[in-house]
Amino acid sequence: MARIRIEPGNGLKSVESIKSLRGTRESLALTDEGNSFGSDSELNGYTSERQTDKYGFIGGAQQYSEQSAEDIPPEVLRQREAKWLEMLNNWDKWMAKRHKKMKLRCQKGIPPSLRGRAWLYLSGGKVKREQHKGKFEELDRQAGDPKWVDVIEKDLHRQFPFHEMFVARGGHGQQDLYRVLKAYTLHRPEEGYCQAQAPIAAVLLMHMPAEDAFWGLVQICEKYLPGYYSVGLEAIQLDGEILFALLKRVSPLAHRHLKKHKLDPILYMTEWFMCAFSRTLPWASVLRVWDMFLCEGVKIIFRVGLVLLKCMLGSQDKLKTCQGQYETMELLKTIDTRYMLEGFLVREIIELPLSERDVEKEHLAQLRRWKETRVDVDEH
């Protein structure tokens, strides 16, 4: 799906809940209340004796369980690693001629040992890094704008406090996270820092060094989710409208329910989209979603959102339990675990009856409506 950068303007209604994401911790969408893996954990600041899981978590909602992840037999994993190594070593050829095959391999899941390298290649971060040699070191040496530095420092301990990389206050993980986020504010001073960038950068840092994570963040902010983190935040509002329109095709019942109770998409999809589901799903599912997202683009984020809305609100039985706006919002804040499990979720994302053309068509229709609205506003 082609992304069209939206310039700040008066096109969509101002929503304070998402504007508060601009460099503040008191945001509605990213509050830590009731979020066991976003909270200011007691773990920050000391070393725990507890064992880490296979992803580096020592607790919290995203910790590995046999139910949440699908284990791949070692021999299958070895075969996949060999295929991915061949692909990474002949990347340009694969990108030019065998992109469909690459997409299928991303849908099956990138082998953990090669995920960091693959993500950097898929995102175009590797090319960016080579085009701007020495740029990250140059930004890293600079002091940064005190306004953003202060907010970033306050946010560091909130990012995956149950992960071994970020558990220690002032530890290497938090230091690298600070470096990456500060460098981005210097790279795009007109954008500055948005709180939702921190989990994105943290996920990248779990898989690659700081310089690579920086270029990965640049690509996600500029190529995958353009306008999501800029001052106006209109892009996220526009995508909310697109998501809602697509829901009508995928689950008319869920669409009707949300419309009846006047639940603006911004109220439930902001954290999903801006954090690319990194704070919502079990970790095995986050990784699989990101494998596909970095290969296929933002349409994967739409698909995940549509699957979750369809599963939670797509039948009369489920709607009996949420008669009003408040109950519906509570339901969407606590999505049933079974719908987020790796095997189920990935299968549903791939099989969702929605073509690329459907998404593109809706994107253009909503964009046209947005521009018309902006003209109307400008004329008054």
Side-chain angles (χ1 to χ4, degrees), residues 153-220:
E153 283 177 341
K154 286 173 182 168
D155 270 349
L156 294 176
H157 69 282
R158 294 166 177 267
Q159 311 313 319
F160 306 107
F162 289 101
H163 193 276
E164 60 182 351
M165 259 189 83
F166 303 108
V167 71
R169 279 186 188 261
H172 289 300
Q174 289 193 15
Q175 285 177 32
D176 281 349
L177 183 57
Y178 169 78
R179 291 169 64 209
V180 169
L181 294 171
K182 184 205 72 177
Y184 189 82
T185 64
L186 292 164
H187 171 68
R188 292 294 295 271
E190 74 284 3
E191 240 177 58
Y193 168 69
C194 174
Q195 192 188 22
Q197 290 169 321
I200 296 280
V203 176
L204 293 167
L205 279 168
M206 289 177 198
H207 294 87
M208 58 188 80
E211 182 179 12
D212 292 352
F214 168 74
W215 289 115
L217 179 65
V218 166
Q219 288 299 90
I220 288 171

Side-chain angles (χ1 to χ4, degrees), residues 103-157:
K103 183 173 127 179
L104 289 170
R105 286 183 181 174
C106 288
Q107 288 176 352
K108 283 184 181 175
I110 300 169
S113 62
L114 297 168
R115 189 168 262 130
R117 191 176 160 198
W119 281 3
L120 189 68
Y121 280 49
L122 284 165
S123 67
K126 177 180 176 280
V127 172
K128 278 272 188 188
R129 188 189 68 195
E130 286 167 359
Q131 286 171 343
H132 302 276
K133 279 193 169 71
K135 179 74 175 170
F136 176 70
E137 290 90 337
E138 180 194 318
L139 297 171
D140 198 24
R141 283 193 298 269
Q142 293 176 38
D145 184 331
K147 173 179 68 173
W148 298 126
V149 164
D150 182 51
V151 185
I152 291 167
E153 283 177 341
K154 286 173 182 168
D155 270 349
L156 294 176
H157 69 282

Side-chain angles (χ1 to χ4, degrees), residues 11 23 50 73 81 94 110 203 259 283 289 296 304 314 332 350 355 364:
R50 290 170 68 183
E81 282 174 342
W94 276 85
I110 300 169
V203 176
K259 193 172 182 179
W283 204 248
V289 164
E296 299 179 55
V304 179
L332 292 178
I350 293 166
S355 71
L364 292 170

